[in-house]
Amino acid sequence: MDNLFFDNPTSHYLPIQKSIRIQGHVTSISLEKLFWDLLDQIAESQGVKRNQFIASLYIEALNHHGDVKNFTSLLRSACVQHILSKENV
C-alpha cells in the first residue's frame, strides 16, 4: 500500500476554526485546511469570496431541506462533490 496519508503534513488535517456571517448571524466553522483551501478554489471559480459562497450554500440547503443539521458535513460533501464533478469532465 502506498503512503497516501503519512506523507501529508499535519497542518493539512488539523482543524482550523473561522468565523463567518450568514444571514446577519456570526457563526464559527471548524474545518481542516484542505477543505478551507478547496472552498477558496470553488468560491473563486464562482467569482465570489469564500464567505459569500458558504452563505449561499447554507441558504440553498435551507431552501431545499428546511434546516441544516450538520453544516460542516455539508461543506465537506460539497468539496468532495466538486472534486468528483471535475474528474467526470
Side-chain angles (χ1 to χ4, degrees):
M1 179 196 282
D2 292 333
N3 287 329
L4 296 174
F5 303 104
F6 297 111
D7 292 336
N8 286 323
T10 57
S11 63
H12 283 192
Y13 56 83
L14 292 176
I16 298 171
Q17 193 167 26
K18 296 185 184 266
S19 294
I20 67 164
R21 184 177 301 272
I22 299 175
Q23 295 186 319
H25 301 282
V26 177
T27 187
S28 291
I29 298 175
S30 183
L31 289 169
E32 296 76 14
K33 181 182 182 318
L34 288 175
F35 287 107
W36 286 118
D37 292 347
L38 274 169
L39 288 168
D40 285 339
Q41 290 174 18
I42 297 167
E44 184 178 318
S45 75
Q46 300 286 319
V48 296
K49 301 282 186 192
R50 178 187 41 199
N51 288 4
Q52 292 172 298
F53 177 69
I54 290 171
S56 70
L57 282 178
Y58 181 82
I59 293 166
E60 183 179 335
L62 206 58
N63 289 338
H64 283 284
H65 304 291
D67 67 346
V68 182
K69 296 211 184 280
N70 190 336
F71 191 52
T72 53
S73 289
L74 184 142
L75 291 173
R76 287 184 187 95
S77 296
C79 288
V80 171
Q81 186 174 10
H82 175 76
I83 291 169
L84 293 175
S85 71
K86 292 189 91 48
E87 289 178 357
N88 293 326
V89 171

